[in-house]
Amino acid sequence: MSTDADAPQRPVEAPAWRDRKRYLWLWGLFAPTGLFTIGLPLIWALNELGWHRLAQVPFWLGPILVYLVIPLADIFFGPDGENPPDDVMEYLENDKYYRYLTYLYLPFQYASLIMACYLISADDLGWLGIDGGLHVVDKIGLAITVGTIGGIGINTAHELGHKKVDLERWLSRIALAQSFYGHFYIEHNRGHHVRVATPEDPASSRVGETFWAFWPRTVWGGLRSSWRLEKVRLERLGKKPWSLRNEVLSAWLMSVVLYAALVAVFGLGVLPYLVLQAVIGFSLLEAVNYLEHYGLVRQRTDTGRYERPAPVHSWNSDHIVTNIFLYHLQRHSDHHAYPTRRYQTLRSWDGAPNLPSGYASMILLAYFPPLWRKVMDKRVLAHYGGDITLANIDPGKRDRILARYGAGVES
């Protein structure tokens, strides 16, 4: 006599719906592989043609990609406009193809870092058509390029660090080691996601606050917050903060070991460039933080607590090209609603405030405060129905902001 338990289990069938971006996600690996697939071959070819000045340009491939190619591609290809339907969410979430793409980012990220250290330290690069070693300007460009790769790698770490799989959490810390920003793993998950869109959150920018004022506040604030969070966690366990049980210290130790190994192999001369690329990497992250919640704030309820995070508390963009490179980070409201949800299943929400272009374009705009405020302040004002007092305002500029927008119209 047979039972249901004895019957063969039918495999879960793939849904009829298909992710049209399934293979476009491979473009996310262009950033860590670009030095090998585009940069070095192009440098060699241009030097072979005798165009030595032009051959210096590919060393700056990172900023060219982030500040020129991706913004132009966002304009050309426009928004995505497609969300996965409800009945495929579970299947899509469990499709390991997508997570393997994030895993692959790391070996290419570190291969680029090691290659850059070799190029910076080498005295003879004749195989690239370069007489002797690199000029200082080329080394700076290369360090910025590698820092850009590390900065995008922080976003990969962000995707991995939210997951419940131990391997992915460890990979997240490895990805952060290059930029010496391992404390981000603690502060982002246990700090930012709790305090998002409140004046207490160092990663939520305020109306009237320039990126250049936000940068030191968020860098220092994030570091202090991560230390406090770990100190409280360890005190509950009866442990002291000055130990390797402190995940801030263990994360920094990973970076120290990495840098020490690179200096031991390639010489002390690479150290300034390692510092430069780290600053570039975490500054790229903080530029993204700056625009994700600019001026948005959760209101207090009758109990005195902040209301729950909602789609209205994050700036979104659905431009497809930046979404491919940043693993749907621009669908930020859905990420805050479902932090452990994998990137391929994140959705674009109706009712969420939207940026006029992709994150890559807006990062560049953020570097120029008058242009940023001309574009964004009126959007914050419109988001709050003309009542700027409902926004998250820079305390030092509050009177000026209220005087300018208090009547609900831009002066």
Side-chain angles (χ1 to χ4, degrees):
M1 179 177 177
S2 63
T3 64
D4 289 342
D6 298 324
Q9 297 295 314
R10 295 179 60 187
V12 178
E13 294 184 4
W17 181 88
R18 290 289 184 270
D19 180 9
R20 69 186 182 94
K21 299 192 293 288
R22 183 176 181 86
Y23 298 108
L24 290 179
W25 292 113
L26 288 165
W27 279 103
L29 295 175
F30 177 78
T33 61
L35 182 62
F36 299 99
T37 58
I38 300 293
L40 295 180
L42 192 56
I43 292 167
W44 174 84
L46 292 172
N47 279 323
E48 284 293 303
L49 292 170
W51 299 345
H52 302 297
R53 291 280 186 182
L54 196 58
Q56 293 178 289
V57 173
F59 288 113
W60 298 80
L61 183 64
I64 291 172
L65 175 68
V66 170
Y67 300 125
L68 183 62
V69 175
I70 295 179
L72 290 175
D74 268 338
I75 294 171
F76 182 80
F77 290 101
D80 183 348
E82 184 178 50
N83 282 333
D86 291 339
D87 59 352
V88 305
M89 293 290 279
E90 184 178 0
Y91 178 86
L92 196 60
E93 183 81 11
N94 292 316
D95 188 339
K96 293 186 178 180
Y97 163 79
Y98 295 94
R99 71 183 69 178
Y100 291 155
L101 292 182
T102 58
Y103 298 175
L104 277 173
Y105 192 100
L106 273 67
F108 292 129
Q109 173 186 343
Y110 275 91
S112 295
L113 176 63
I114 293 168
M115 174 57 76
C117 288
Y118 159 70
L119 293 172
I120 288 169
S121 63
D123 295 325
D124 182 10
L125 293 173
W127 60 276
L128 271 179
I130 297 173
D131 185 15
L134 297 183
H135 297 294
V136 172
V137 68
D138 299 332
K139 294 179 181 181
I140 292 173
L142 185 55
I144 292 174
T145 290
V146 172
T148 302
I149 295 169
I152 299 175
I154 296 177
N155 180 64
T156 307
H158 168 260
E159 170 66 22
L160 295 167
H162 273 294
K163 303 303 173 282
K164 298 177 180 179
V165 180
D166 287 341
L167 171 63
E168 291 178 292
R169 294 185 176 188
W170 271 106
L171 290 176
S172 174
R173 298 176 193 184
I174 292 170
L176 292 167
Q178 175 181 333
S179 299
F180 224 110
Y181 228 53
H183 59 280
F184 170 80
Y185 172 84
I186 295 98
E187 159 56 19
H188 180 82
N189 290 10
R190 288 154 47 196
H192 173 65
H193 272 262
V194 174
R195 300 185 298 249
V196 62
T198 68
E200 291 79 18
D201 180 30
S204 295
S205 59
R206 304 156 177 170
V207 173
E209 182 178 36
T210 69
F211 169 71
W212 307 108
F214 172 77
W215 187 90
R217 182 173 74 85
T218 188
V219 171
W220 178 243
L223 192 157
R224 290 179 61 195
S225 175
S226 63
W227 182 265
R228 284 198 298 265
L229 289 166
E230 272 300 274
K231 186 172 182 289
V232 169
R233 183 183 71 85
L234 291 169
E235 283 175 349
R236 288 174 179 169
L237 297 174
K239 307 295 182 183
K240 295 185 180 298
W242 291 98
S243 73
L244 289 181
R245 289 179 177 268
N246 186 324
E247 292 185 347
V248 174
L249 292 179
S250 61
W252 288 347
L253 181 60
M254 290 176 68
S255 295
V256 170
V257 171
L258 172 64
Y259 282 35
L262 292 172
V263 167
V265 173
F266 298 106
L268 195 59
V270 301
L271 186 57
Y273 300 99
L274 287 173
V275 173
L276 174 60
Q277 66 84 29
V279 173
I280 294 296
F282 69 70
S283 295
L284 190 59
L285 162 75
E286 299 301 358
V288 171
N289 279 338
Y290 177 76
L291 57 92
E292 284 177 332
H293 306 283
Y294 179 77
L296 303 179
V297 68
R298 289 150 55 195
Q299 307 302 322
R300 290 191 183 273
T301 65
D302 293 339
T303 64
R305 294 186 176 186
Y306 287 110
E307 62 184 330
R308 292 177 62 85
V312 295
H313 300 130
S314 300
W315 290 102
N316 291 257
S317 173
D318 207 25
H319 284 71
I320 190 169
V321 175
T322 300
N323 264 340
I324 291 296
F325 278 88
L326 295 183
Y327 302 118
H328 268 161
L329 182 66
Q330 297 179 132
R331 294 183 171 184
H332 207 61
S333 291
D334 202 27
H335 167 66
H336 273 279
Y338 304 98
T340 61
R341 179 174 282 178
R342 294 188 181 274
Y343 68 92
Q344 67 271 22
T345 57
L346 290 174
R347 303 193 204 184
S348 182
W349 284 50
D350 292 332
N354 277 278
L355 298 169
S357 189
Y359 277 15
S361 305
M362 300 307 293
I363 289 171
L364 186 59
L365 197 66
Y367 296 154
F368 302 93
L371 294 177
W372 171 264
R373 293 199 60 195
K374 184 176 179 63
V375 170
M376 287 303 300
D377 282 13
K378 63 185 180 184
R379 285 177 165 80
V380 176
L381 188 65
H383 178 67
Y384 287 110
D387 188 355
I388 199 66
T389 63
L390 297 176
N392 188 3
I393 302 174
D394 184 347
K397 297 180 180 177
R398 187 173 185 84
D399 290 343
R400 192 186 313 170
I401 297 294
L402 292 180
R404 185 176 186 186
Y405 300 117
V409 294
E410 187 173 357
S411 62

